[in-house]
Amino acid sequence: MFPRPARRLPQAVALLVLAGTLTAGAWADPRDAAEPDRSDRVTHVPATPGAGTPLAGFAVRSTAQVTDSAAAVSSPGYPATGWYPTGPRSTVLAALLANGVYADPFRSTNQQKIQKADFEVPWWYRSDFTVEDTARRTFLDFSGVVSAADVYVNGHRVAGAADVTGAYTRHELDITSLVGSGTNTVAFRVRPNDPNSDLTMGWLDWLQPPPDRNMGLVRDVLVRRGGPVALRDAHVVTELAVPSLATARLTVKARARNDSATPVTAEISGSVAGTRLTRTVPLAAHETKTVTFTPDDTPGLRLTGPKVWWPAGMGGQPLYDLALTASVAGTVSDTAHETFGIRDVRAPLNADGARQYRINGRRLLVRGGGWSPDEFLRWDRAYAEDRLKYAVDLGLNTLRLEGHLEPDEFFALADRYGVLTLPGWECCDKWEGDVNPSGSGKKWTDADHRVARASMAAEAARLRDHPSVLSFLIGSDSAPNATIEREYLDALEAADFTAPVVPAASDESTPRLGRSGMKMSGPYDWVPPGYWYAKREGGATGFNSETSAGPSIPTLDTLRRMLTPAELDSLWRDPDARQYHRSPSATFGTLALYDHALAGRYGAPTGLTDYVRKAQLAQYENVRAQFEAYGRNATDAERPATGVVHWMFNSGWTSLHWQLTDRYLDQNGAYFGAKKANEPLHVQYSYDDRSVVVVNNRHTGEHGLTVRATLFDPDGTRRYDGTVTGTAVDGDGARTTALTLPASVDGPARTHLLRLVLTDAGGTVVSRNVYWLSTVPDTLDWDDTDWYHTPTTGYADLGGLTPMARVPVTATAVTRSAEGTSTTTVTLRSAGTGTTPALFTDVRLVDAQGRPALPVRWSDNEVSLWPGEQLTLTATYRTGDLHGSAPQVRVSGWNVPERTVPAA
């Protein structure tokens, strides 16, 4: 418990509890600023016991512009003239953006024009709520204050910034004696944020940091009502029998707290998994007891044939509900509800010291991406859900959250879609101030230790029942020292957090947990595709917690939305130009490494369109190789690959690097390269030894497969054709080598195309994969490897792709719609008369104005067709995202003339 503030009113009691509701700022549209919730929408708080009602919105204003006293500002009826209305969760800058104060910060350099000085003083947040029944007890329940705040209710201060500090600490303030019938007012005086001084949230090199540094209220502020006995901290601890999965044991816990000054007897009742729970609990005045139901005293908590939760692609995602009620003298006093899943996660170190996850007894290769929230922490459920659906579409099973821990709704969606999460504290700022000598965070004080313990306790309690939470990383680039580790682990244990705890995302260790079993050896900037196959540095061995080949150039559609014509011109002409939309870091400020490699391998760009098409080809092959290498090596007997997190999955703004999908949910070559690599049953080429391998990510084995590998010159001349029949491969990530390509083939070409086709026993094509390869290898200077890349001293020669003859591709499309969802089926056919294939044929769903309809999930894309070949692709999307327009399909490609056809 924090020290009591100096000016606490005696009738206002503050409680720090060990569970929280994490939310982020309101944002109704993923592409444009939303209309804010009106501040004059007074929140009606019902008297229903157990109700937790979020305040509907706030009015905000800088303290530099408010001369009235805190008592006046926080009193009902105060005229908030000139204040900015905003939603229930909002940073200061998010509120100002929603009110049109600034131009779109994601376009060009608009964000640079926002004055940071405006956010170096506290800001007021003010909201009104009404109650009718004052016989109920009333509490303010909140977290997500960035960075600290004084809290006032009806003209009285109920907590000070010395207590209410830290983005992740959770607070419950008893305001019963201050609340009256009718309108009541709550006000927060929020202090500026400094991630190097405060245990809050910050940004490193993902994007240009927001000028307000995310100061504000980024989680819901709840008004709770109840009777004399409060139920808190309700949760379920699950134990699943592994490997049989035949039985499970549930232990239900909750804290019953008597908030009255007299003894009471509480009746605790409820249900879980079809079992009734009941317990009589005597409580002295102001006493709290933990109520526990175990399989020993409640046999129904011993389940036979439990519904087991699995990650997507491994099984279903069933969930259970816990409902509890506390009654006094036959009257309901409080209620509690929790949703949970039954699953077992283990994460031992393998013989090589790498972290090897197992879920429900089955080995798990973590195929992940780094998750970013919106830069201004604006929360929109539909936008988050769309991105989670993209993760599943890509075949990813895990998202890593380095700090910026998302709201409860995010983890509930992850539970629903079967996406595992790796939450943890962030690197390099105050969170690592005591342990990271290269970071910018200040050393911890005693007060910081208290905030850290409370933060860990609150997040552990919030996350423990979510089956999607795979682990918690208590360190990122650096591991905590012995003191901090002990504080974290004690808080996790007290909260019954049962998922594995990892000391750091890097190769570090702590006294109690030992080695992390992870590596953070890069790369973060461009390396060639063959890099990923080396079992060294960031290559496919062990668990790489964050890595990629860096830049990820968006589509032309997105680039034209985010950059001015002059910036677009500089993008392709000047590799050494500072790119505001790449990173604030000096290391990643330009695209020089990437651009030199692009020109060295594919030829110098001749214009913006040529630059972007080469970028998509390069990003496809590189991201595909990254995931394919880790997938191939996952079952190696020596130094297997156990996990890889592509850095990153998405960006919090309009970015030129570290993303598989962009801010507008458009999909570039990186997206479709990852999707191809992570197919459930997949045929792939190995850059290191020329082997053609089948990887089976399905649970059951496959047999009777046929693998065909054909090597062509770019003009379509066939140089090699090999077929292997009767191929079999076990399940759960197993692989089998079907054949090995010859070291050389006839002909003068230095660039070749490799087509791989995998068919099942019935003759159906189940995987199709096309590579562009060179007889001249990329050459890596391993001895000069640094923290962010390995230099390339010689480039592969892919220039043979440039003179490929233009090949027309015909397209017919038809759309079917039902219940708000549309599916467009596109049939592509190579209509060329010669032998040249149509390489990297890209299909986009657009409206009548040519604007992409997003989000969209394609069955496949960026495909290659040989003369006479026909492929059918499907696109699934929300009908409303066409905004009433008839759908059209835009087809283009590496050597495919662009055309648009109707798809109605």
Side-chain angles (χ1 to χ4, degrees):
M1 172 111 28
F2 286 130
R4 295 174 63 85
R7 294 175 57 196
R8 181 72 53 82
L9 288 172
Q11 65 266 43
V13 179
L15 303 169
L16 183 68
V17 296
L18 301 184
T21 300
L22 174 60
T23 55
W27 185 31
D29 188 292
R31 290 160 288 189
D32 302 292
E35 282 295 319
D37 288 342
R38 296 296 305 171
S39 62
D40 55 7
R41 187 198 300 170
V42 178
T43 306
H44 174 66
V45 178
T48 308
T53 306
L55 296 177
F58 291 89
V60 304
R61 192 91 188 262
S62 169
T63 58
Q65 298 171 326
V66 177
T67 58
D68 299 306
S69 68
V73 168
S74 61
S75 294
Y78 175 77
T81 306
W83 290 46
Y84 297 103
T86 192
R89 321 160 178 173
S90 181
T91 65
V92 171
L93 188 49
L96 299 179
L97 290 169
N99 281 277
V101 176
Y102 303 112
D104 179 5
F106 292 145
R107 178 166 174 80
S108 186
T109 57
N110 286 346
Q111 190 176 161
Q112 280 186 323
K113 302 171 186 176
I114 301 174
Q115 296 298 315
K116 295 180 180 178
D118 293 342
F119 312 106
E120 293 173 355
V121 298
W123 279 65
W124 278 112
Y125 278 65
R126 185 186 186 284
S127 186
D128 293 332
F129 65 94
T130 63
V131 300
E132 297 174 0
D133 179 6
T134 57
R136 297 284 183 187
R137 302 196 70 82
T138 305
F139 300 87
L140 280 183
D141 184 349
F142 61 90
S143 60
V145 178
V146 182
S147 66
D150 303 296
V151 186
Y152 297 81
V153 173
N154 291 344
H156 302 283
R157 191 177 81 149
V158 296
D163 284 349
V164 181
T165 182
Y168 299 105
T169 59
R170 184 178 175 184
H171 310 272
E172 186 176 39
L173 306 177
D174 188 341
I175 59 173
T176 303
S177 63
L178 300 177
V179 171
S181 179
T183 302
N184 298 268
T185 299
V186 59
F188 291 77
R189 184 165 53 197
V190 179
R191 299 193 180 186
N193 182 37
D194 180 358
N196 290 323
S197 302
D198 308 315
L199 290 170
T200 55
M201 303 179 191
W203 304 90
L204 183 62
D205 48 11
W206 304 354
L207 43 70
Q208 297 292 345
D212 71 339
R213 295 190 284 193
N214 294 136
M215 70 179 296
L217 303 180
V218 299
R219 304 184 182 186
D220 281 339
V221 176
L222 301 176
V223 181
R224 292 196 180 277
R225 307 300 305 283
V229 173
L231 275 179
R232 297 293 186 263
D233 204 32
H235 62 284
V236 181
V237 180
T238 65
E239 298 176 70
L240 178 64
V242 175
S244 72
L245 312 185
T247 61
R249 292 169 56 90
L250 309 183
T251 298
V252 177
K253 293 184 179 182
R255 287 188 292 113
R257 187 183 72 214
N258 180 7
D259 288 323
S260 73
T262 59
V264 298
T265 298
E267 296 291 335
I268 310 299
S269 61
S271 64
V272 64
T275 296
R276 296 294 302 170
L277 307 172
T278 183
R279 186 73 47 81
T280 300
V281 182
L283 294 166
H286 302 298
E287 182 182 16
T288 298
K289 288 183 179 178
T290 298
V291 183
T292 304
F293 301 89
T294 72
D296 296 330
D297 56 48
T298 309
L301 297 180
R302 188 179 298 111
L303 305 186
T304 300
K307 295 179 288 185
V308 177
W309 188 95
W310 291 94
M314 297 180 72
Q317 292 80 44
L319 297 171
Y320 288 84
D321 292 306
L322 166 69
L324 292 176
T325 298
S327 300
V328 177
T331 300
V332 174
S333 179
D334 202 1
T335 60
H337 305 270
E338 281 293 316
T339 300
F340 65 97
I342 297 175
R343 57 95 178 95
D344 178 87
V345 177
R346 309 287 174 87
L349 301 184
N350 66 14
D352 302 305
R355 186 75 56 178
Q356 175 64 74
Y357 282 91
R358 303 186 70 85
I359 187 158
N360 303 331
R362 284 162 56 181
R363 184 188 58 82
L364 177 74
L365 171 67
V366 169
R367 298 187 303 275
W371 176 272
S372 175
D374 169 69
E375 178 177 2
F376 308 111
L377 305 185
R378 297 172 292 190
W379 170 257
D380 181 87
R381 184 186 186 281
Y383 185 52
E385 186 171 13
D386 287 334
R387 286 178 287 166
L388 286 168
K389 288 179 179 178
Y390 269 11
V392 174
D393 182 55
L394 287 175
L396 302 183
N397 56 31
T398 305
L399 293 170
R400 181 182 166 213
L401 288 74
E402 183 191 343
H404 302 94
L405 304 182
E406 289 279 38
D408 286 340
E409 296 100 316
F410 171 85
F411 292 98
L413 287 169
D415 293 343
R416 174 182 170 188
Y417 287 107
V419 179
L420 295 165
T421 61
L422 277 173
W425 305 127
E426 63 195 51
C427 99
C428 310
D429 55 19
K430 185 58 176 275
W431 288 99
E432 294 187 349
D434 276 12
V435 295
N436 190 336
S438 62
S440 54
K442 295 181 180 178
K443 298 294 184 181
W444 285 19
T445 64
D446 289 344
D448 293 321
H449 281 271
R450 291 193 294 270
V451 172
R453 288 195 301 269
S455 299
M456 187 73 265
E459 288 306 292
R462 190 176 71 89
L463 299 176
R464 64 192 165 198
D465 276 339
H466 288 288
S468 58
V469 176
L470 184 65
S471 266
F472 197 95
L473 280 63
I474 57 173
S476 180
D477 292 33
S478 297
N481 60 31
T483 299
I484 298 173
E485 179 198 31
R486 182 183 68 252
E487 293 170 341
Y488 283 156
L489 294 183
D490 288 350
L492 286 156
E493 183 179 0
D496 290 327
F497 187 88
T498 59
V501 179
V502 179
S506 59
D507 185 12
E508 294 205 7
S509 62
T510 52
R512 285 172 60 177
L513 293 173
R515 290 185 58 186
S516 71
M518 294 189 173
K519 64 180 182 180
M520 193 185 284
S521 49
Y524 297 91
D525 211 328
W526 192 85
V527 292
Y531 170 97
W532 302 105
Y533 285 84
K535 287 198 173 184
R536 57 179 298 175
E537 314 301 342
T541 182
F543 194 119
N544 199 339
S545 67
E546 51 180 64
T547 187
S548 75
S552 183
I553 305 301
T555 64
L556 268 174
D557 294 303
T558 289
L559 285 170
R560 286 169 174 151
R561 294 179 71 171
M562 61 185 272
L563 301 177
T564 65
E567 290 164 341
L568 289 171
D569 196 55
S570 173
L571 179 66
W572 73 271
R573 288 185 185 275
D574 187 0
D576 295 318
R578 294 288 301 181
Q579 295 293 340
Y580 185 70
H581 286 265
R582 186 163 185 214
S583 171
S585 162
T587 303
F588 305 120
T590 75
L591 290 165
L593 281 173
Y594 177 85
D595 285 353
H596 291 319
L598 204 65
R601 300 175 89 242
Y602 290 98
T606 58
L608 177 64
T609 299
D610 185 53
Y611 175 80
V612 174
R613 74 172 188 142
K614 286 174 176 172
Q616 304 317 312
L617 206 65
Q619 288 156 193
Y620 185 103
E621 65 164 343
N622 212 314
V623 173
R624 176 180 59 181
Q626 178 180 343
F627 282 107
E628 284 183 339
Y630 274 83
R632 189 200 69 174
N633 291 358
T635 53
D636 283 0
E638 295 183 5
R639 303 182 66 203
T642 62
V644 61
V645 177
H646 184 278
W647 205 247
M648 298 178 64
F649 170 70
N650 68 301
S651 179
W653 80 325
T654 43
S655 179
L656 296 172
H657 77 157
W658 293 350
Q659 58 189 352
L660 296 177
T661 178
D662 69 34
R663 169 174 173 75
Y664 303 117
L665 303 180
D666 207 350
Q667 304 144 318
N668 64 5
Y671 185 99
F672 292 113
K675 180 176 172 68
K676 175 58 63 176
N678 293 321
E679 289 176 323
L681 185 60
H682 179 64
V683 62
Q684 64 186 62
Y685 169 76
S686 304
Y687 283 83
D688 58 342
D689 61 9
R690 306 185 313 282
S691 62
V692 174
V693 173
V694 178
V695 178
N696 183 14
N697 290 311
R698 298 170 177 171
H699 183 46
T700 57
E702 299 286 341
H703 59 86
L705 302 172
T706 298
V707 178
R708 184 181 182 186
T710 314
L711 203 60
F712 301 87
D713 289 350
D715 65 3
T717 301
R718 187 177 302 179
R719 296 297 183 183
Y720 169 82
D721 198 356
T723 299
V724 176
T725 60
T727 299
V729 58
D730 293 334
D732 292 334
R735 77 159 195 260
T736 188
T737 300
L739 56 89
T740 299
L741 295 184
S744 62
V745 294
D746 294 336
R750 292 155 64 94
T751 305
H752 293 98
L753 299 175
L754 171 64
R755 183 182 63 193
L756 304 179
V757 179
L758 178 69
T759 54
D760 64 17
T764 300
V765 175
V766 291
S767 179
R768 194 174 186 277
N769 209 349
V770 175
Y771 296 79
W772 33 103
L773 305 172
S774 172
T775 59
V776 180
D778 293 295
T779 306
L780 287 157
D781 182 4
W782 292 105
D783 291 339
D784 284 335
T785 297
D786 54 35
W787 69 270
Y788 64 94
H789 85 309
T790 296
T792 304
T793 56
Y795 295 117
D797 183 358
L798 298 172
L801 302 180
T802 300
M804 289 179 68
R806 304 272 280 175
V807 176
V809 172
T810 62
T812 57
V814 62
T815 298
R816 298 287 182 266
S817 301
E819 299 180 348
T821 298
S822 293
T823 300
T824 296
T825 302
V826 183
T827 301
L828 303 174
R829 186 175 184 277
S830 175
T833 57
T835 59
T836 303
L839 182 65
F840 210 62
T841 303
D842 180 87
V843 188
R844 299 283 154 168
L845 184 76
V846 298
D847 64 15
Q849 288 73 45
R851 299 171 302 193
L854 299 168
V856 60
R857 295 189 303 281
W858 287 94
S859 58
D860 197 2
N861 210 329
E862 297 182 337
V863 295
S864 299
L865 298 93
W866 268 253
E869 277 193 325
Q870 181 172 295
L871 290 176
T872 298
L873 312 179
T874 60
T876 305
Y877 53 97
R878 284 187 296 264
T879 307
D881 285 337
L882 282 168
H883 306 291
S885 172
Q888 300 187 82
V889 168
R890 184 177 71 207
V891 181
S892 62
W894 176 261
N895 61 326
V896 177
E898 182 177 310
R899 62 182 304 181
T900 301
V901 300

